[in-house]
Amino acid sequence: IQDINNVQALILYNIGRDDLTVGELTNRGYYLGSNVSYNVRKMAESDYLDQERSPHDRRSVRVKLSDKGLKLWKTLDEMFVDVQTTRLKLAYGAAPIVAAGAVYFVTRSAWRAAAGAAAGIVLPDLWVRLVKAQRIARFHGQMVDSLFVLSSSLQAGLSLAQAFETLEAEMPPPASQEFGLVVKAHRLGRPLEEALEQLNLRIGLDELNLITNAVQVARGTGGDLTRVIKQLILTIREKK
């Protein structure tokens, strides 16, 4: 991707599925003094954003992601995958060539080599899916330990947001990275419940859905979240 810089990618991710004014966007995020209006204009020129004047105040411009912007946002919102960008680009470029060469070497058939090249195009996608599946499995194996860290942090008097920060610092990847996304999204102004829902969408585990729902209910009703988390630990252990 050559038509968007780092600051613009951060702005794009922070907009998400919302419809915001430039002022609201500036208040929500931290852009280290970058000119938000300039970056918004450049993103609109690159077709990442749609802009329209507010019907109530013609001086106010509201922005939302275009279809192209939403596609990139979904990519940014997906889980971390431990694949270097250069290796991934190399795989996408080399897989069709290697597959075609291997098939031709064995069969000496041009049309079979072409079929091999076509198959090579989809191999990197299959590889990424495999890596993501392995990552989710590792995350699943860290669920109980992650809940223990949350429970201990809450018992020590930390807020839930601070407990997630502790979890990010103490757990190894992928739990530290995924809960780190929750922390970063919360710092950028997203409600903690919404950040947890995004985590649940990325990972898609039933146990994580239980955690997300339990946090929402406990925070909404003022329940004892520490006790709820301890019960979740028992539930997850029984399911294993």
Side-chain angles (χ1 to χ4, degrees):
I1 300 174
Q2 304 293 332
D3 57 351
I4 187 169
N5 62 35
N6 294 343
V7 172
Q8 292 164 6
L10 177 60
I11 293 174
L12 181 144
Y13 182 76
N14 203 14
I15 294 174
R17 298 185 182 277
D18 294 336
D19 182 345
L20 304 169
T21 66
V22 174
E24 290 169 340
L25 181 61
T26 304
N27 292 332
R28 171 182 282 194
Y30 304 94
Y31 303 114
L32 304 178
S34 296
N35 188 321
V36 177
S37 297
Y38 167 80
N39 283 300
V40 165
R41 178 169 59 82
K42 298 300 289 185
M43 292 165 68
E45 291 174 358
S46 299
D47 199 29
Y48 286 106
L49 292 181
D50 291 331
Q51 299 184 86
E52 61 180 20
R53 296 280 178 184
S54 171
H56 307 294
D57 183 356
R58 301 300 296 175
R59 296 170 300 177
S60 177
V61 177
R62 304 195 68 84
V63 297
K64 63 180 179 179
L65 298 186
S66 64
D67 290 341
K68 179 181 177 181
L70 281 171
K71 183 177 180 180
L72 178 57
W73 177 81
K74 290 177 182 178
T75 301
L76 294 173
D77 197 54
E78 285 198 350
M79 68 188 66
F80 288 109
V81 177
D82 298 325
V83 178
Q84 295 180 1
T85 303
T86 53
R87 291 176 59 191
L88 190 57
K89 289 180 178 179
L90 180 62
Y92 274 104
I97 299 173
V98 172
V103 172
Y104 184 78
F105 179 78
V106 173
T107 65
R108 300 297 177 180
S109 170
W111 73 266
R112 286 191 173 93
I121 292 174
V122 303
L123 287 177
D125 287 330
L126 296 177
W127 175 44
V128 171
R129 290 179 186 177
L130 175 62
V131 172
K132 291 173 69 174
Q134 292 173 339
R135 180 184 178 81
I136 291 174
R138 291 199 303 272
F139 183 90
H140 184 263
Q142 295 175 314
M143 291 284 290
V144 171
D145 290 340
S146 298
L147 288 174
F148 268 122
V149 173
L150 278 181
S151 177
S152 299
S153 300
L154 292 172
Q155 283 182 321
L158 299 181
S159 67
L160 184 58
Q162 292 171 328
F164 279 117
E165 291 177 2
T166 303
L167 174 56
E168 178 190 8
E170 294 188 3
M171 290 296 295
S176 61
Q177 294 171 326
E178 291 297 342
F179 286 110
L181 279 180
V182 173
V183 172
K184 289 178 177 66
H186 184 58
R187 286 174 180 167
L188 288 171
R190 290 188 181 275
L192 192 56
E193 292 82 359
E194 183 179 328
L196 286 171
E197 287 178 0
Q198 289 296 325
L199 172 61
N200 190 36
L201 290 174
R202 285 195 303 273
I203 301 297
L205 293 174
D206 292 339
E207 292 86 350
L208 188 57
N209 190 39
L210 287 175
I211 296 173
T212 303
N213 291 335
V215 167
Q216 290 177 337
V217 171
R219 284 168 65 88
T221 61
D224 187 348
L225 187 55
T226 303
R227 180 179 297 179
V228 171
I229 290 176
K230 288 181 177 179
Q231 184 58 50
L232 284 173
I233 292 173
L234 294 176
T235 301
I236 292 173
R237 281 181 165 174
E238 289 175 357
K239 289 186 69 174
K240 288 185 176 181

